[in-house]
Amino acid sequence: MTIGERIQTLRKKQGLSQEELANKIDGSRQAISKWESNQSNPDLKNIVALSEVFKTSTDSILKDSLGDFQAFQSNNPLFILAFALTFFILVGVWAYSANRFREDEIFWMAFLSAIAGGSLGYIVHKNRKNQ
């Protein structure tokens, strides 16, 4: 995804027209149009202004990979499951390799860790959706 495509996506997500966005950053509609069609790129001052309007980091406007990861987090319901499974595996491996617990205790530790991981994943997921 290009810078122009990211700007257009963020603008549409906010429900702004090119004219409204231009007014918010003290620019022109033609400049916004050129950025979105990749005929030119915004300068640093405009990147900062765009990030303030869109309530996002400058990196998410400039870098494609960070934006993709944020989109994965906020749009993928399996993100919660991934957190839970990660904690389950880490606690299970740690407990088994350290010979610290009996088998039934390992199960309960892993189970509780999975719940904690799922809860954390849910919180992160909800926070990403609300931003």
Side-chain angles (χ1 to χ4, degrees), residues 11-27:
R11 176 180 62 79
K12 288 182 177 181
K13 207 182 233 187
Q14 295 268 329
L16 298 172
S17 67
Q18 288 181 343
E19 187 73 36
E20 291 168 329
L21 178 57
N23 289 336
K24 286 184 180 269
I25 66 166
D26 294 327

Side-chain angles (χ1 to χ4, degrees), residues 3-123:
I3 291 174
E5 290 169 336
R6 283 190 293 280
I7 291 171
Q8 184 177 39
T9 300
L10 289 166
R11 176 180 62 79
K12 288 182 177 181
K13 207 182 233 187
Q14 295 268 329
L16 298 172
S17 67
Q18 288 181 343
E19 187 73 36
E20 291 168 329
L21 178 57
N23 289 336
K24 286 184 180 269
I25 66 166
D26 294 327
S28 68
R29 187 204 54 79
Q30 292 82 1
I32 305 294
S33 176
K34 284 184 180 182
W35 299 340
E36 289 182 357
S37 63
N38 296 309
Q39 294 175 3
S40 67
N41 288 319
D43 61 14
L44 185 57
K45 177 184 148 226
N46 288 320
I47 294 286
V48 171
L50 288 169
S51 73
E52 290 170 357
V53 169
F54 297 140
K55 295 179 178 63
T56 188
S57 69
T58 55
D59 280 353
S60 66
I61 295 171
L62 296 172
K63 292 182 182 177
D64 195 24
S65 60
L66 181 62
D68 288 346
F69 182 66
Q70 288 174 340
F72 167 77
Q73 285 181 325
S74 63
N75 296 329
N76 192 344
L78 294 177
F79 188 65
I80 297 168
L81 181 61
F83 258 88
L85 289 176
T86 300
F87 280 102
F88 180 78
I89 291 167
L90 289 175
V91 168
V93 168
W94 172 79
Y96 180 75
S97 64
N99 285 330
R100 299 208 122 196
F101 301 102
R102 296 185 319 261
E103 288 179 15
D104 61 327
E105 290 174 325
I106 291 172
F107 169 78
W108 287 110
M109 286 293 292
F111 178 73
L112 293 174
S113 296
I115 291 173
S119 300
L120 181 60
Y122 178 78
I123 291 167

